[in-house]
Amino acid sequence: MRTLLLSAALLSGIAWAQSPVDVQKVLQRDFQARGQATMDRVVQDGLQRVCTDSHDRPPSDLARQLEADQLKTIDFPPGSLIGDWKRGERIAQGGRGLTWNDKPGAPADGSCYNCHQLSPQEMSYGTIGPSLLRFGWMRGNGPEMQRYVYGKIYNAKAYNLCSQMPRLGHSGTLTPEQIKDLVGLLLDPESPVNKQ
Amino acid sequence: MTRFSATILVLGLAAIPAGAQDTKKEIQKYQQMIAEGSPVELFELEGETLWKKPQGPNNVSLEKCDLGQGPGVLKGAYARLPRYFKDADRVMDLETRLLHCMTTLQGRSRDEATKRVFGNENQPSEMEYLSAYIASQSRGVRLAAGNSHPKEKAAYELGKALFFYRAGAWDMSCASCHGEDNKRIRMQDLPVLYKPQAARPIMATWPAYRVSNSQFKTMQWRLNDCYRQMRFPEPKFASEATNALNTFLTVTAAGEPYRGPGTKR
Amino acid sequence: MAGPMKMRATATGGTTEVRVLMTHPMTTAQMKDQPLHFIQNVVVKQNGKTVIEAEISQAVSRNPVFSFRLKGGAKGDKIEVSWVDNKGESNTIETAVA
Amino acid sequence: MTRRSLLAFLGLLLARPLSVLAAWNEQAFGAKTAADALKGIGVSAPAPSKDIVIDAPQIAENGAVVPIEISSNVPGTTAIAVVIEKNPFPLAARFEFKEGALPFVKLNVKMGETSDVRVVAFAGGQQLTATREIKVTIGGCGG
């Protein structure tokens, strides 16, 4: 792993006046644990380090390898992955979870509308991620699509290593049940996302 | 061309961009109107009172505090912060410097002076009031944070590295939201803060009154709350890290005439 | 205790523009942890004569800001704005037209 | 007591604290529907008019502060009322413009949700009205 990281830094060709290691030390000195936001969060894992080093443009071989590692973290539930789109819509609207003033263990939300357009009725949507309007209508909702959407929400980095989307299942933000409800929001033909 | 993609093309060309354009225009109008009808001057008034109020064991006001332009000189002081201070041998932004003056001039303990740095709508903090007043004394002065002393240069570099450092429960860096042009969270436009053009109007209007919660917010708070939303632990108030980030952002915005304290959503 | 007010009155082309800021929580019945507390009456006077009387509700935003326009007006005219809230607290500010 | 001092004394009486003099239409402000609020301020079947100008953003990023500028071009306007139809208590404000004031006001209001904002102007025996829809959206991260 160490050589892998080193080569990533070299390949990216970005000269940092401060190495990420130095920055991590600063964060460990200048930040403090509060609530559920503990200090281990400032320590980068492998992909965070590679993405920081490469300005989110990791060498493709390395990216493929690390994406495969991330894919292994996803535990796909059996059966249909399409949950209740109505609950999904509420999860997509909210922005709570994992911050230092959120109650540990309390249900979190997906923060989906912060970055994506989904239901056409909601005009206050962000644009950091692509529009998901009519997502299921365009792509169908067969088992493969369900698996892709579930996996993408559970761990977006398995599909695009330096994606800005949080690993909502892997990080413990959302439960498998909540992720299925979001799959429902995206793929259920009755969901406003897919209605004309 | 399939029927589906034809439909998408039509939708894409006609309905959606027109709506988005109108939305953007109306949001701009909203922001302009809230700025015109802002109660921000009330915070400046209160801040002036606090600046002149004797406090602490030494029972003196902050009027002799040197914000970089000499003891008690307020005109243009905020626009030249953060900067290196020889007496403290470090780079300090406004709040860090005020804390320094509270401990050195007024003889207050750091614990007491930082007990409540961020207030709420019912009780704004001393730092917030003071920031409003002092920043208002730089209106029209071009931003010129320190960028020549070796420690200022080091702060800039550290701030830049922090800006792009991805970590936390959601793998975010500042650049996750402020790294690409023409993006927004919900309706909020996201300035690409490492680019001068985008950083200038933003840094020229902080600190600011936020209408969504009727609170006056400082730059230390802004950084603190970004890290909260990024699912990081909490940055310590007036730490080297927050001063470095503030230096990076303000140096990037250099040259913009200061026109705050601003009014934000 | 009532927080500060601020006012500016400027004469331009035959009208006087009055902009007044009031420090007030303006809490509503919907806020659970706070008692209902809001300004009910605002009065604007020009040289001692009442020119505007307003009744307002909890729907006015916290720290109210109003702009009014008065006919005529010359530099030095006295403008006075006062408010009273539902608890009987009040405040007044006076300024000369600039 | 001289005439002059009597006048001064009356003047003092008139300068009693505002709270004693001030009237506040409890019935209208306590009304929970726009119809009841309008009834409470004596409005019935106001006529739509283009002479009432409501300047406001069509979209408010936050309902806590929605800036609205109102002016009436109806000659002889003596009062203006603002009703936010979907607010829990729709009547937001009522302004009386006496000799010396122009029928103009700019203020910030709270809106619980997207709603029509109705303005009624009183001029002589006339009641005129205009509305404008303001959409209230969600800004920021919501966290």
Side-chain angles (χ1 to χ4, degrees), chain A residues 93 95-96 101 111 114 122-124, chain D residues 59 135 137-143:
Chain A
Q93 286 282 358
R96 299 166 306 167
N101 57 5
S111 294
N114 284 358
E122 179 53 80
M123 56 186 294
S124 176
Chain D
I59 301 168
K135 293 193 173 83
T137 66
I138 301 161
C141 310

Side-chain angles (χ1 to χ4, degrees), chain B residues 37 55 58 70 101 121 127 190-191 195 249:
Chain B
Q55 289 198 89
N58 299 346
C101 289
E121 72 271 35
M127 281 292 173
L190 295 163
K195 294 186 180 173
L249 297 173

Side-chain angles (χ1 to χ4, degrees), chain A residues 9 12 30 52 62 79-80 105 110 136 155 164 175 177:
Chain A
S12 66
D30 287 354
T52 300
L62 182 63
S80 168
N155 187 342
Q164 300 302 337
T175 63
E177 209 54 41

Side-chain angles (χ1 to χ4, degrees), chain D residues 16-143:
Chain D
R16 279 177 303 172
L18 203 62
S19 52
V20 184
L21 290 172
W24 193 73
N25 190 335
E26 200 159 348
Q27 191 205 340
F29 281 110
K32 291 192 169 149
T33 64
D36 286 349
L38 289 169
K39 209 186 293 168
I41 51 170
V43 174
S44 59
S49 168
K50 285 203 167 65
D51 289 327
I52 298 164
V53 185
I54 309 172
D55 189 18
Q58 273 172 35
I59 301 168
E61 259 184 294
N62 195 282
V65 176
V66 182
I68 301 178
E69 185 180 302
I70 301 159
S71 52
S72 168
N73 297 322
V74 183
T77 299
T78 53
I80 280 175
V82 185
V83 176
I84 301 161
E85 302 211 333
K86 287 199 184 153
N87 266 11
F89 300 100
L91 182 59
R94 187 176 172 282
F95 299 89
E96 241 172 68
F97 302 99
K98 305 187 185 293
E99 181 56 39
L102 292 167
F104 167 93
V105 65
K106 198 157 132 187
L107 75 165
N108 297 324
V109 296
K110 299 171 200 164
M111 290 179 64
E113 58 183 302
T114 297
S115 168
D116 272 345
V117 173
R118 177 177 296 280
V119 172
V120 181
F122 302 76
Q126 282 180 290
Q127 295 175 347
L128 299 153
T129 189
T131 61
R132 188 179 166 105
E133 190 193 43
I134 300 176
K135 293 193 173 83
V136 176
T137 66
I138 301 161
C141 310

Side-chain angles (χ1 to χ4, degrees), chain B residues 48-252:
Chain B
E48 183 175 4
T49 308
L50 280 172
W51 174 256
K52 294 172 178 167
K53 182 183 168 190
Q55 289 198 89
N58 299 346
N59 198 35
V60 293
S61 73
L62 290 167
E63 286 166 291
K64 293 266 162 62
C65 179
D66 183 353
L67 298 171
Q69 308 306 308
V73 179
L74 292 180
K75 180 75 195 154
Y78 178 74
R80 295 180 181 91
L81 292 171
R83 55 165 286 161
Y84 174 77
F85 285 88
K86 205 170 172 196
D87 56 7
D89 191 31
R90 62 174 290 206
V91 172
M92 295 170 137
D93 65 7
L94 174 62
E95 290 156 89
T96 307
R97 188 62 185 172
L98 282 171
L99 179 58
H100 175 84
C101 289
M102 287 170 187
T103 54
T104 55
L105 280 178
Q106 297 184 318
R108 297 158 67 180
S109 73
R110 194 180 194 281
D111 279 359
E112 182 271 327
T114 56
K115 198 158 205 153
R116 195 172 172 281
V117 285
F118 307 137
N120 59 31
E121 72 271 35
N122 290 321
Q123 203 190 344
S125 76
E126 188 184 3
M127 281 292 173
E128 288 158 355
Y129 282 134
L130 287 169
S131 299
Y133 172 56
I134 296 161
S136 77
Q137 302 302 301
S138 277
R139 274 197 281 267
V141 181
R142 289 181 190 279
L143 295 180
N147 194 25
S148 53
H149 188 278
K151 289 213 172 176
E152 291 169 343
K153 288 184 172 160
Y156 173 89
E157 291 300 333
L158 174 61
K160 186 176 175 184
L162 283 164
F163 188 86
F164 292 103
Y165 184 90
R166 294 186 71 170
W170 280 9
D171 315 320
M172 297 178 86
S173 74
C174 305
S176 297
C177 294
H178 298 285
E180 253 188 274
D181 288 315
N182 301 314
K183 299 284 182 188
R184 52 173 224 241
I185 283 182
R186 290 278 183 166
M187 299 304 266
Q188 185 85 14
D189 282 329
L190 295 163
V192 183
L193 292 170
Y194 69 87
K195 294 186 180 173
Q197 208 184 344
R200 286 170 138 227
I202 302 299
M203 299 309 288
T205 46
W206 275 93
Y209 182 75
R210 291 202 112 194
V211 301
S212 49
N213 52 19
S214 314
Q215 296 179 30
F216 190 85
K217 294 302 191 186
T218 65
M219 203 56 207
Q220 283 282 333
W221 174 86
R222 179 61 279 175
L223 298 173
N224 179 285
D225 201 59
C226 277
Y227 275 113
R228 184 182 66 81
Q229 305 266 18
M230 286 157 69
R231 275 71 185 174
F232 270 59
E234 186 177 31
K236 292 177 187 165
F237 183 79
S239 60
E240 192 184 323
T242 52
N243 274 285
L245 260 171
N246 201 354
T247 301
F248 170 61
L249 297 173
T250 319
V251 167
T252 303

